[in-house]
Amino acid sequence: MAVKSAKESAEKTDNPATQWADQVKGLFEKYKLPGVDLEAIAEWQKKELEALNEASRQASEGISTLVKRRGEILEETLQEWQVAVKEASASGEGLSKQGEAARERLKKAMSNVRELAELEVKAHSDAWKVLQERLQENMSNLQNLIQPKK
């Protein structure tokens, strides 16, 4: 049991959201604001920071995936073009065959652009979803905080 509480204590002190929430709570206690639920405000702000952190993490992962895939696509394209140029010059193939190869490369390029756009949209929407969920929670919390206590 002592190990768990020590671990929880270490996690609590390492978490910037928890540290900040504790600082805010300390300020409210210092200035003794009557009728203010310090625990609720501290928890609210902690959740705010956690949501921002999660949105940032998801956006970062999405951008990393996008950048990686762009690099892969560029490498594939350059390899294909290199092969096509070598084949065209070595075989002396006609313009119609080169035109067909160009059309195929264009189709693939369009497919790649579509894939990259989808990755980018997913990265942004995943991060935005986290923020939207937190905003919904904020509205509920705000309604609860401003209602008179019975």
Side-chain angles (χ1 to χ4, degrees), residues 93-127:
E93 61 187 26
L95 290 177
S96 65
K97 201 164 191 179
Q98 288 178 358
E100 181 61 33
R103 274 191 291 279
E104 290 302 315
R105 286 192 294 276
L106 182 59
K107 282 182 188 177
K108 184 165 182 164
M110 294 302 289
S111 173
N112 289 340
V113 167
R114 188 175 14 263
E115 179 186 356
L116 291 173
E118 289 169 0
L119 284 172
E120 192 167 358
V121 166
K122 184 179 181 337
H124 289 289
S125 64
D126 287 350

Side-chain angles (χ1 to χ4, degrees), residues 4 8 11 14 26 37 42 45 53 55 57 62-63 73 83 87-88 95 105 107 110 115 118 120 144:
K4 185 175 182 183
E8 288 174 341
E11 287 175 357
D14 290 344
D37 186 349
Q45 293 305 303
N53 187 36
R57 185 191 65 75
I63 296 299
I73 288 171
V83 168
E87 287 176 357
L95 290 177
R105 286 192 294 276
K107 282 182 188 177
M110 294 302 289
E115 179 186 356
E118 289 169 0
E120 192 167 358
N144 292 336

Side-chain angles (χ1 to χ4, degrees), residues 14-65:
D14 290 344
N15 184 342
T18 302
Q19 290 173 351
W20 189 83
D22 289 343
Q23 288 175 347
V24 169
K25 183 178 175 184
L27 285 173
F28 281 122
E29 288 173 349
K30 180 179 177 180
Y31 293 105
K32 309 254 188 258
L33 298 172
V36 176
D37 186 349
L38 300 176
E39 290 294 325
I41 291 173
E43 186 63 25
W44 183 4
Q45 293 305 303
K46 178 182 172 189
K47 286 182 179 181
E48 288 290 304
L49 292 173
E50 288 171 348
L52 288 172
N53 187 36
E54 177 62 17
S56 177
R57 185 191 65 75
Q58 287 195 19
S60 177
E61 283 179 6
I63 296 299
S64 293
T65 300

